């Protein structure tokens, strides 16, 4: 269902659909999924917590992309850190 709705929005609005028209089908699908979950016996608070957990994921997806670019930059620059000796603690380390 989400793929068909998003594809329809993209076909109708082109790449400008990413600014808003694709949001509507995604919200509709999220609402439908919540209603199905509640219909199958999950209470509202459980469904709400699951939705809030899903909303905490996008920052990880956004900040994951610069990580690869920074790794490439690190490899190109040849930056190195000084090597240190491991620290041991007390008699347990012997």
């Amino acid at each position: 269902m989400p793929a068909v709705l998003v594809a329809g929005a993209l076909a109708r609005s082109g790449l400008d659909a990413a600014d808003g028209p694709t949001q509507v089908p995604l919200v509709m699908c999220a609402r439908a999924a919540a209603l199905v979950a509640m219909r199958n016996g999950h209470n509202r608070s459980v469904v709400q917590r699951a939705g809030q957990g899903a909303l905490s994921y996008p920052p990880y997806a956004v900040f994951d992309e610069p990580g690869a670019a920074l790794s490439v930059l690190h490899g190109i620059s040849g930056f190195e850190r000084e090597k240190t000796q491991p620290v041991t603690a007390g008699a347990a380390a012997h």
Side-chain angles (χ1 to χ4, degrees), residues 68-78:
L70 290 174
S71 294
V72 169
L73 216 79
H74 176 78
I76 292 172
S77 70

Side-chain angles (χ1 to χ4, degrees), residues 4-92:
V4 172
L5 292 173
V6 170
L10 286 172
R12 184 168 186 232
S13 302
L15 292 178
D16 292 332
D19 293 334
T22 56
Q23 308 283 324
V24 174
L26 293 175
V27 169
M28 289 171 52
C29 291
R31 185 173 278 173
L35 290 173
V36 167
M38 288 191 289
R39 177 78 174 139
N40 287 330
H42 297 283
N43 62 16
R44 186 179 182 281
S45 63
V46 171
V47 173
Q48 182 179 0
R49 278 194 308 256
Q52 289 169 343
L55 289 176
S56 67
Y57 177 73
Y60 295 106
V62 169
F63 292 119
D64 186 43
E65 294 302 322
L70 290 174
S71 294
V72 169
L73 216 79
H74 176 78
I76 292 172
S77 70
F79 177 77
E80 291 183 14
R81 294 182 289 169
E82 290 183 32
K83 294 188 178 13
T84 59
Q85 295 296 325
V87 177
T88 56

